[in-house]
Amino acid sequence: MRFRLSNIFIIFPFIFTIFIFVKFKNSSTNFDEKESQVISIPNECVCESKKTGKLYNFCYNLPENKQKRGKRFSCKFLDFWERFEESKSVDIKTDQIPNPVFVTAFSSGFISNAVRMISSIRKLGISMKIVIYDLGLTPDDNNILKQACNIEIRKFDFSIFPESMKELREYRWKPIVIAECLADFGSIWYLDTSVVLEKSNISHVYDLINCQKENIERLPLLPSFQRDIREKTEKHEDGWNKDIWLRNLKECRKSSYLLHGYSGHGILSVTNPEVYNWIPSNFEELRKEKAKMYDAGFVYAVNTKTIMLDIMKWYVLCALENSCMGPENSSLICSFENDDRFKKYAECHRYDQSIINLLLANANFYDRRYYVSEIVDFFHIKRNGNLNVNNEEMQCI
Ligand SMILES: *[C@@H]1O[C@H](CO)[C@@H](O)[C@H](O)[C@H]1NC(C)=O
Ligand SMILES: *[C@@H]1O[C@H](CO)[C@@H](O)[C@H](O)[C@H]1NC(C)=O
């Protein structure tokens, strides 16, 4: 057999390519896992896009155990969903997170609270845009809002959604508003009209997400039982605890969808069990005190691939499905047996708030430390109406 030196130049690149390919396969990243999942969507979970021909998995899979999955959401919502999935996402490691816009949504009747909320932002000297979704405002309300500085009013288009969207008390509009603004702006603060902002410098909250830019060696995640002990022994958040904040920066495991205000009970106790047909969970973990429910009406979120695909997709699809976000006969009124706010279903339901907390808990080790900021020095929640509002305080200063 004749051997020519030139063969080396043919064979070597070939072998090298295989080597690189194998290396790449072995260092399988999250992204690879996502891709292989897409290839193997079970038949009963597939939805096909009429627009792009792309196949989508419309069954929610429990992150901890992908074999555990919910019923397929209706494929008729694919058209609506697809543009969010295709929206430009932020890679926190490499991209600058865009400056957040403020987003709110309300109907007539909440106008004075809205003025209070908007004023609280402006009085701090923050002039960033505030996007307001009109869920049913009167001309008078609109005239009041016209006095505000740097706002954009968007009429919420109920006509493209199932009838249940009009049931404002089921809050199905909230995931839609949040998804739309994440897609449009990349990073947002969503605020219900009950929020009062109290601090202009919120960099301590952003730091909890921006820490991902630094290539820190993270300590391993504590096992569940140690985190149970931590939950029982550490004082509940109050102001801004610098020690816990520094630990969180070091750990750098917080979700890029952060809640802030504790609602006073668990998730399992206030979630209609019908929901688990769509979004299964791990009840052993969900009934523990780590799985605390936080207000869905005050959020800082960034449009990362993970947030869009693992959280927002299911939050939005659930909102569009009648028996997911608002199962029949759901009630806001809870009866906590023996004042136990965690272990047992209390015959009540929190609609959007149940769903987002369930999704965040499932995706974050059933431990609120990974989906809440644990900082409460920059806002308070005031649900009662406020009659003494001054419309002029909505001006920029
Ligand atoms: C905001 O607060 C941080 C401390 O959390 C401080 O280091 C920073 O200088 C402050 N930024 C401004 C603009 O005041
Ligand atoms: C809801 O309540 C009505 C009236 O009490 C009852 O007839 C119906 O069966 C209930 N539906 C479900 C799904 O429990």
Side-chain angles (χ1 to χ4, degrees):
M1 196 176 92
R2 276 196 313 155
F3 181 81
R4 279 195 301 200
L5 191 62
S6 65
N7 282 356
I8 293 259
F9 295 101
I10 296 163
I11 289 166
F12 182 72
F14 181 68
I15 290 174
F16 186 69
T17 307
I18 289 178
F19 173 72
I20 291 287
F21 183 72
V22 169
K23 276 290 264 199
F24 182 72
K25 273 299 218 204
N26 287 346
S27 71
S28 160
T29 61
N30 282 339
F31 184 70
D32 291 331
E33 279 164 30
K34 285 248 163 54
E35 287 232 304
S36 61
Q37 253 181 52
V38 168
I39 292 161
S40 60
I41 306 171
N43 271 342
E44 60 271 32
C45 293
V46 177
C47 289
E48 185 180 346
S49 162
K50 284 188 223 93
K51 208 173 75 199
T52 59
K54 209 174 136 190
L55 301 182
Y56 289 80
N57 187 347
F58 261 36
C59 298
Y60 174 84
N61 294 79
L62 186 61
E64 170 200 19
N65 172 7
K66 302 266 185 207
Q67 304 305 109
K68 225 168 157 180
R69 66 163 185 257
K71 285 199 284 187
R72 182 181 67 188
F73 289 94
S74 171
C75 292
K76 69 180 181 221
F77 305 135
L78 175 53
D79 277 356
F80 179 71
W81 168 251
E82 202 169 23
R83 77 180 175 105
F84 298 129
E85 181 145 340
E86 286 170 354
S87 68
K88 187 171 173 293
S89 60
V90 179
D91 180 344
I92 295 177
K93 272 199 178 312
T94 52
D95 305 340
Q96 181 74 30
I97 299 177
N99 280 332
V101 301
F102 293 89
V103 179
T104 190
F106 56 94
S107 59
S108 199
F110 291 90
I111 184 70
S112 57
N113 280 14
V115 171
R116 183 184 66 200
M117 186 272 282
I118 295 167
S119 303
S120 79
I121 295 174
R122 294 304 181 229
K123 281 193 281 188
L124 291 168
I126 304 172
S127 51
M128 202 77 69
K129 182 193 266 196
I130 303 176
V131 179
I132 297 171
Y133 279 77
D134 170 356
L135 300 177
L137 297 174
T138 64
D140 279 352
D141 297 333
N142 274 294
N143 280 336
I144 291 173
L145 290 173
K146 281 206 188 88
Q147 300 175 52
C149 145
N150 199 11
I151 58 163
E152 176 190 334
I153 299 183
R154 296 181 172 189
K155 193 125 186 89
F156 190 91
D157 184 2
F158 288 96
S159 72
I160 62 172
F161 296 112
E163 274 298 298
S164 56
M165 188 61 69
K166 293 189 189 137
E167 201 58 64
L168 296 187
R169 294 279 175 162
E170 296 189 353
Y171 305 93
R172 297 172 190 271
W173 44 268
K174 202 180 291 176
I176 310 291
V177 164
I178 292 176
E180 198 158 279
C181 287
L182 276 178
D184 290 352
F185 302 106
S187 140
I188 64 164
W189 281 95
Y190 174 84
L191 313 87
D192 277 349
T193 56
S194 55
V195 178
V196 178
L197 203 67
E198 290 179 308
K199 197 173 174 183
S200 61
N201 183 350
I202 323 178
S203 69
H204 51 340
V205 177
Y206 302 138
D207 289 342
L208 296 170
I209 308 292
N210 279 324
C211 61
Q212 294 171 39
K213 288 193 187 310
E214 290 149 38
N215 273 322
I216 50 165
E217 278 291 323
R218 293 191 305 185
L219 294 169
L221 181 75
L222 289 178
S224 177
F225 79 93
Q226 277 184 23
R227 290 186 284 112
D228 289 336
I229 295 169
R230 175 169 79 181
E231 189 67 23
K232 284 212 163 59
T233 51
E234 247 172 36
K235 202 165 141 277
H236 191 78
E237 62 251 9
D238 167 19
W240 174 23
N241 181 316
K242 300 252 171 58
D243 293 334
I244 289 178
W245 178 71
L246 285 172
R247 180 182 76 198
N248 286 331
L249 291 183
K250 253 187 167 155
E251 215 184 349
C252 197
R253 272 204 178 82
K254 286 204 194 269
S255 168
S256 306
Y257 194 107
L258 281 181
L259 308 180
H260 314 279
Y262 180 40
S263 69
H265 44 66
I267 300 170
L268 181 126
S269 54
V270 303
T271 300
N272 190 314
E274 296 279 319
V275 170
Y276 308 122
N277 294 328
W278 302 97
I279 305 170
S281 189
N282 173 340
F283 302 119
E284 207 47 57
E285 290 295 318
L286 199 64
R287 64 212 295 274
K288 292 181 177 175
E289 292 196 17
K290 298 198 295 298
K292 286 188 164 67
M293 179 173 278
Y294 275 67
D295 293 339
F298 190 39
V299 180
Y300 172 65
V302 182
N303 179 4
T304 65
K305 268 261 170 293
T306 309
I307 293 305
M308 260 310 172
L309 297 182
D310 297 349
I311 306 292
M312 290 315 297
K313 180 178 177 184
W314 312 108
Y315 195 23
V316 166
L317 292 178
C318 182
L320 298 174
E321 201 76 59
N322 284 353
S323 67
C324 184
M325 191 155 284
E328 213 181 319
N329 297 348
S330 290
S331 157
L332 280 170
I333 299 159
C334 306
S335 52
F336 296 107
E337 216 172 90
N338 303 322
D339 206 32
D340 173 7
R341 290 167 175 262
F342 291 90
K343 291 195 210 58
K344 217 172 149 254
Y345 179 49
E347 308 291 331
C348 57
H349 187 57
R350 288 287 180 272
Y351 302 94
D352 63 311
Q353 187 162 291
S354 292
I355 305 306
I356 191 63
N357 276 269
L358 179 60
L359 290 168
L360 288 170
N362 281 354
N364 296 284
F365 326 108
Y366 312 95
D367 189 338
R368 52 117 188 169
R369 307 255 177 186
Y370 302 105
Y371 56 86
V372 313
S373 65
E374 299 174 81
I375 302 174
V376 293
D377 72 336
F378 62 104
F379 69 98
H380 71 266
I381 308 284
K382 211 166 164 180
R383 290 188 211 282
N384 299 337
N386 194 350
L387 297 175
N388 301 318
V389 291
N390 175 353
N391 299 339
E392 275 163 27
E393 290 180 342
M394 295 190 292
Q395 306 277 330
C396 286
I397 54 171

